[in-house]
């Protein structure tokens, strides 16, 4: 089992903020966290016990590394080896920020620990290479785009337009006859409707009178 000082040295190699709390215990915060909390490790103490945040890790990572996450979402690192502690810190950083972190330097290191890089390496270019590149003429390999040949449009044959035959002219006499017959047809319609209503009313009234007479005669006979 790693000692308290050895575990602190491993945590210090990452870009974490060390914060002392009560009874000589230490917390490590990750200021670049994109999650709600910033505390990556808490209550690291002389007994070697401590906790690393695991509630943001995926189930696949937890199952792969056989981590035990308590109900509060923390992983106890009391009995972790050097490689296991580095791995759990890296996984916690990934879950809190999503950065790709290099751990080969830790797993293959001999002797003192080296600083872990949490950002991708930048390619270093020497000043001499830049000057040589400026001296060499750059050949333009850009070719002008070829013009796309549009498909040939078939010519539309113009067919002679045949004018439709003119409609037969309407005679004034026919139009006047239609106008004259329109009022008469309306008059006949309303006259027929009125007669029908009057006949219906007469029949209803006659039936009512007959029914009343029959009822009246029945009462008289009883008396």
């Amino acid at each position: 089992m790693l000692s308290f000082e050895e575990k602190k040295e491993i945590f210090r190699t990452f870009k974490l903020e060390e914060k002392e709390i009560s009874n000589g215990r230490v917390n490590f915060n990750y200021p670049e966290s994109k999650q709600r909390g910033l505390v990556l490790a808490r209550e690291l103490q002389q007994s070697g016990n401590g906790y690393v945040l695991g509630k943001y890790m995926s189930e696949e990572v937890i199952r792969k590394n056989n981590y035990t996450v308590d109900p509060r979402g923390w992983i106890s690192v009391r009995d972790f080896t050097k490689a296991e502690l580095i791995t759990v810190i890296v996984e916690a950083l990934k879950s809190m920020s999503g950065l790709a972190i290099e751990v080969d330097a830790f797993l293959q290191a001999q002797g003192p620990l080296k600083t872990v890089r949490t950002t991708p390496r930048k390619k270093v270019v020497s000043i001499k290479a830049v000057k040589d590149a400026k001296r060499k003429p750059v050949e333009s390999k850009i070719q002008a785009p070829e013009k796309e040949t549009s498909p040939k449009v078939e010519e539309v044959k113009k067919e002679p337009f045949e004018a439709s035959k003119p409609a037969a002219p309407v005679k004034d006499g026919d139009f006047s006859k239609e106008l004259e017959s329109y009022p008469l047809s309306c008059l006949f319609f309303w006259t027929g409707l009125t007669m029908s209503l009057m006949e219906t009313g007469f029949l209803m009234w006659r039936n009512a009178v007959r029914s009343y007479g029959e009822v009246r005669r029945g009462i008289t006979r009883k008396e």
Side-chain angles (χ1 to χ4, degrees):
M1 184 178 68
L2 298 174
S3 65
F4 176 57
E5 294 298 330
E6 289 175 338
K7 289 181 179 178
K8 284 199 300 183
E9 288 298 323
I10 293 174
F11 278 102
R12 287 169 181 169
T13 55
F14 295 87
K15 292 183 178 180
L16 303 174
E17 294 180 355
E18 184 176 350
K19 184 178 180 180
E20 294 185 3
I21 56 177
S22 60
N23 299 326
R25 295 177 298 177
V26 179
N27 285 359
F28 286 93
N29 299 338
Y30 182 43
E32 298 179 4
S33 173
K34 295 182 180 179
Q35 302 295 343
R36 186 174 181 179
L38 300 179
V39 181
L40 183 139
R42 67 178 182 86
E43 300 179 10
L44 195 64
Q45 49 192 296
Q46 294 289 340
S47 63
N49 194 17
Y51 301 92
V52 173
L53 187 62
K55 66 179 180 179
Y56 299 122
M57 296 181 186
S58 63
E59 295 182 0
E60 181 181 356
V61 172
I62 295 173
R63 185 169 56 255
K64 177 182 177 181
N65 296 283
N66 198 22
Y67 293 147
T68 302
V69 184
D70 62 17
R72 296 177 298 173
W74 295 91
I75 301 171
S76 175
V77 296
R78 177 185 179 87
D79 300 323
F80 275 33
T81 63
K82 175 182 174 181
E84 290 173 345
L85 183 59
I86 293 170
T87 302
V88 74
I89 295 172
V90 169
E91 294 296 344
L93 288 171
K94 287 181 179 180
S95 65
M96 295 176 71
S97 66
L99 294 175
I101 303 170
E102 300 173 7
V103 294
D104 293 341
F106 284 97
L107 300 178
Q108 299 177 0
Q110 300 293 334
L113 298 175
K114 299 180 182 180
T115 303
V116 175
R117 296 180 60 86
T118 58
T119 55
R121 297 177 181 272
K122 296 182 179 179
K123 187 177 180 180
V124 180
V125 182
S126 62
I127 300 175
K128 183 179 180 181
V130 175
K131 291 181 179 180
D132 294 341
K134 290 182 178 179
R135 292 174 182 174
K136 295 179 180 180
V138 180
E139 296 180 359
S140 177
K141 297 183 179 181
I142 301 174
Q143 297 180 356
E146 298 180 357
K147 295 183 179 180
E148 297 181 356
T149 56
S150 59
K152 295 182 179 180
V153 181
E154 297 182 357
E155 297 181 356
V156 180
K157 297 181 180 181
K158 296 183 179 180
E159 297 181 357
F161 176 75
E162 294 182 0
S164 60
K165 296 181 180 181
V170 180
K171 297 181 180 180
D172 296 339
D174 297 339
F175 185 70
S176 60
K177 288 179 180 180
E178 292 180 1
L179 291 177
E180 290 176 358
S181 62
Y182 181 74
L184 293 175
S185 60
C186 292
L187 179 60
F188 293 151
F189 172 76
W190 286 110
T191 302
L193 181 61
T194 304
M195 294 296 290
S196 300
L197 293 173
M198 290 176 65
E199 186 177 358
T200 303
F202 173 75
L203 294 173
M204 293 175 64
W205 176 80
R206 187 180 64 180
N207 292 335
V209 171
R210 288 180 180 178
S211 299
Y212 177 75
E214 291 176 357
V215 173
R216 187 69 177 174
R217 283 195 295 272
I219 294 172
T220 304
R221 289 174 183 176
K222 288 180 181 181
E223 291 177 354

